[in-house]
Amino acid sequence: MSNNLKVLKFPNPRLRKIAEKVTKFDKSLKKLAHDMLELMYDENGIGLAATQVDKHIRLIVIDVSDERNAPQYFVNPTFEILNTDLMYAFEEGCLSVPGFNEEITRPSNIILKWQDLDGVAHKEEPSGLLTVCIQHEIDHLDGKLMVDYISPIKRDRIKKKLLKK
Ligand code: QAP
Ligand code: CO
């Protein structure tokens, strides 16, 4: 059980809220991060943004390892695109859009800046699945969803199916 946290599902309008920057690196931040990680593992996800659990702060948890034993926490993440010509298409899923996968094209070379749970700043060029996942999750913090990249017709079809559940 993940401490009362639940994943909001598209088209819940709360997924559209813009998350606030984290300024206090206290125990409650660490607790939320660990609860989010537990929920993400329970639901077989590789990434989860605080927005998805109705907490509107700039916090993301990710684990792209096969063994599910390499959690990464990103606070106040931002990225710069290194080369706008290099794009990568990947079949993405989302815990807020369960049961649907869509091919999304995103920049493949980025520089990522973030803080850890203690507020220490980091800067790195991510590789592989992390590059895709962190961009997907930063979108959540800005109220943006995977379905915003597909055609309105497809998006509407997904919306109707999820509302019927
Ligand atoms: C975002 O998504 C992501 O439909 C994280 O039935 C995914 O963890 C970024 C999930 C792929 C890049 C590539 C989705 C679990 C998990 C589902 C997830 C489902 C069960 C999605
Ligand atoms: Co998502």
Side-chain angles (χ1 to χ4, degrees), residues 23-125:
T23 54
K24 280 192 283 189
F25 295 82
D26 55 10
K27 273 173 82 176
S28 72
L29 178 72
K30 292 181 176 73
K31 175 159 192 331
L32 176 60
H34 294 128
D35 288 349
M36 282 170 58
L37 189 78
E38 198 181 324
L39 178 61
M40 185 187 82
Y41 285 146
D42 284 350
E43 307 235 337
N44 300 313
I46 60 168
L48 187 66
T51 305
Q52 292 177 276
V53 294
D54 211 11
K55 306 287 183 194
H56 302 278
I57 61 165
R58 305 191 80 82
L59 168 66
I60 287 166
V61 300
I62 290 180
D63 188 342
V64 291
S65 73
D66 290 333
E67 302 80 12
R68 329 267 314 130
N69 61 1
Q72 290 180 276
Y73 302 98
F74 299 90
V75 180
N76 300 326
T78 59
F79 70 91
E80 281 165 51
I81 300 164
L82 285 178
N83 184 337
T84 48
D85 294 332
L86 291 177
M87 302 288 283
Y88 185 56
F90 196 87
E91 188 93 355
E92 298 184 18
C94 180
L95 288 172
S96 294
V97 193
F100 295 90
N101 294 290
E102 296 293 337
E103 189 176 275
I104 315 272
T105 302
R106 300 186 190 269
S108 61
N109 291 65
I110 62 169
I111 288 276
L112 184 63
K113 289 182 188 169
W114 75 97
Q115 284 166 283
D116 61 30
L117 294 174
D118 295 312
V120 179
H122 299 267
K123 179 178 172 177
E124 214 174 274
E125 188 179 341

